Amino acid sequence: MLVKLGPLDADRVADLRPYLDSVPDPRSQRGRWYSLTAILLVCACAVVSGAKSIDELAEWGERASDTLLAVVGIRRHPLRWRRAPSRTTIGRVLGTVDGDALDRAVGAYLADRHRAATGPGQRQVIAVDGKALKGSARLTAARRHLLSAVTQGRVVTLAQAEVGAKTNETTHFRPLLEPLDLADTLVTFDALHSVKANITWLVETKNAHYIAVIKTNQPTAHRQLAALPWRDVAVQHTTTSTGHGRHESRSIKTCGIADELGGIAFPHARLAIRVHRRRKQTSRRETRESVYAVTSLDAHQVGPADLAAAVRGHWTVEAQHHIRDVTFAEDASTVHTGTAPRAMATFRNLAIGLLKTLGADNTAKATRAIRDEPERALPLLGITNNPDVYGT
């Protein structure tokens, strides 16, 4: 499996350590033995190797050789032994680390990796969507909810924020995207985020484009879109797919609209979109559904096939959620203390993103292969076998 990732040469990628150095240490200076970067790097290496829990993070360190620990940045004790951080130490750090700072560091690292892997000349498409951490709930506390900005195609998480509950996602839309360079980027989101103030900010302040799905939670706009003369518009693109016991076809129509849609101002809208889906599952009746959306892109800026790919590609973020749940057992995780649930999700995003940018088509197989050869995790994170200033 590792052969598919190409030569594991750290010169190909940026070193993760300077990014982690930007995360403030929540601990008192007195009594520190491990640097924060070293502890976070152990966590990163362990999750890339398939670790699913804090116990497994510590077990990766226990299995690591003395040389590997030195490269990670674990100092040698005066009595000449070198020991990885314990489960208690790792849990305490992850429970108190600044979640925003850790997400910024990992997001910046993945953004650089994605930029290098993608190259210039291709419009970036980003999906904004949320995910609940089911196992983080307790009798006295609701489950944690995270909002993420994820690239379509090669799935990489550029930003992540904890929002408390799904209903709070809308108010966190701007803070999530504010740090990102979105010039000429296409941003997709579901109906929850199709808020006019957010869309105006996205276009006028961030110089981005959008595709906004309009559902019945915006009844007037939805009614106006549904009433457009779609019967008079020819189907402009069709795709079909078969798999998982179902056959599905999707057709798209677009219709030019003015700055105002039926008297309802929808900021910077240029095209109305109707996606019609037909799905037939084994031994079940065929279902049909029409989804409406608007976009700030003009017909000369984007073709129907690209619009269809962006609308459908929005749900690639769900594919990442699936990997986090199945490969890394996120929904089964009962980690709930402090910022630890969010920190674990951040490291899962890191593992998935860096493996995807290196061309891994099966994250589970890749993590198992790295688990069998722990030293392979370091080159994936841009780290050479020279401890230099990070280890002594």
Side-chain angles (χ1 to χ4, degrees):
M1 180 64 201
L2 292 176
V3 174
K4 293 184 179 180
L5 304 184
L8 297 182
D9 180 2
D11 292 337
R12 297 173 57 203
V13 295
D15 190 331
L16 176 62
R17 289 173 292 187
Y19 295 84
L20 295 181
D21 286 342
S22 68
V23 181
D25 198 326
R27 301 169 297 169
S28 168
Q29 289 188 351
R30 183 177 181 181
R32 290 185 197 171
W33 179 254
Y34 304 103
S35 72
L36 179 65
T37 296
I39 295 174
L40 297 179
L41 197 55
V42 167
C43 296
C45 290
V47 175
V48 170
S49 303
K52 301 178 179 66
S53 65
I54 294 178
D55 284 331
E56 292 182 13
L57 300 182
E59 289 169 5
W60 184 91
E62 293 171 0
R63 293 195 306 269
S65 66
D66 186 82
T67 301
L68 193 56
L69 292 177
V71 176
V72 168
I74 304 299
R75 291 190 296 160
R76 188 187 296 277
H77 190 273
L79 297 179
R80 310 307 294 167
W81 49 260
R82 198 186 309 268
R83 185 175 298 163
S86 67
R87 191 258 182 235
T88 301
T89 298
I90 292 173
R92 186 182 300 120
V93 167
L94 294 187
T96 56
V97 72
D98 185 330
D100 290 333
L102 181 60
D103 269 318
R104 281 195 300 270
V106 170
Y109 178 73
L110 289 176
D112 290 343
R113 293 289 296 269
H114 183 265
R115 192 177 302 111
T118 304
Q122 184 176 350
R123 174 180 280 133
Q124 183 171 251
V125 185
I126 294 175
V128 176
D129 197 26
K131 184 182 188 300
L133 303 179
K134 296 181 180 179
S136 63
R138 288 297 177 271
L139 290 176
T140 56
R143 65 180 59 168
R144 311 294 181 85
H145 197 89
L146 303 176
L147 182 66
S148 302
V150 182
T151 58
Q152 290 192 21
R154 186 180 279 114
V155 179
V156 171
T157 302
L158 303 180
Q160 179 176 267
E162 186 166 343
V163 301
K166 184 175 180 63
T167 53
N168 297 335
E169 284 188 19
T170 302
T171 58
H172 286 80
F173 183 87
R174 292 194 204 181
L176 177 76
L177 298 178
E178 179 68 47
L180 303 181
D181 179 7
L182 298 178
D184 200 39
T185 295
L186 178 60
V187 181
T188 66
F189 38 87
D190 62 20
L192 181 65
H193 296 290
S194 296
V195 178
K196 295 171 185 177
N198 286 345
I199 290 173
T200 299
W201 170 83
L202 190 64
V203 175
E204 297 181 1
T205 302
K206 300 300 288 183
N207 299 313
H209 291 287
Y210 70 85
I211 296 178
V213 174
I214 307 298
K215 292 187 177 179
T216 53
N217 64 326
Q218 294 180 318
T220 302
H222 184 269
R223 186 168 57 250
Q224 294 295 329
L225 280 170
L228 289 173
W230 294 113
R231 290 182 179 274
D232 301 330
V233 179
V235 171
Q236 297 161 342
H237 181 73
T238 301
T239 59
T240 60
S241 62
T242 302
H244 305 288
R246 69 189 183 200
H247 178 79
E248 185 175 275
S249 66
R250 294 168 296 277
S251 62
I252 186 170
K253 296 180 178 182
T254 63
C255 178
I257 55 176
D259 290 339
E260 293 193 355
L261 176 61
I264 304 299
F266 214 90
H268 304 281
R270 294 293 180 267
L271 289 175
I273 302 168
R274 192 199 77 161
V275 177
H276 188 67
R277 301 170 180 159
R278 300 174 62 180
R279 179 179 298 172
K280 179 71 167 64
Q281 290 184 291
T282 305
S283 303
R284 295 188 182 181
R285 296 177 61 185
E286 181 180 82
T287 60
R288 302 185 181 191
E289 178 189 21
S290 289
V291 176
Y292 299 100
V294 291
T295 180
S296 58
L297 290 166
D298 274 316
H300 70 273
Q301 294 175 299
V302 63
D306 291 331
L307 283 175
V311 172
R312 186 163 189 255
H314 177 78
W315 307 115
T316 58
V317 67
E318 299 295 339
Q320 192 220 36
H321 294 170
H322 181 76
I323 295 172
R324 281 162 56 173
D325 289 337
V326 174
T327 301
F328 294 102
E330 183 166 270
D331 275 353
S333 173
T334 57
V335 175
H336 63 279
T337 305
T339 56
R342 177 180 178 180
M344 290 295 291
T346 301
F347 284 118
R348 293 173 190 128
N349 291 338
L350 172 64
I352 295 167
L354 71 88
L355 290 173
K356 291 297 184 183
T357 57
L358 287 173
D361 54 5
N362 188 312
T363 303
K365 286 184 179 180
T367 55
R368 287 196 297 270
I370 298 166
R371 179 189 61 198
D372 295 337
E373 300 180 61
E375 67 280 359
R376 293 296 191 116
L378 292 173
L380 291 174
L381 298 169
I383 300 171
T384 68
N385 290 325
N386 180 7
D388 54 57
V389 297
Y390 289 92
T392 58

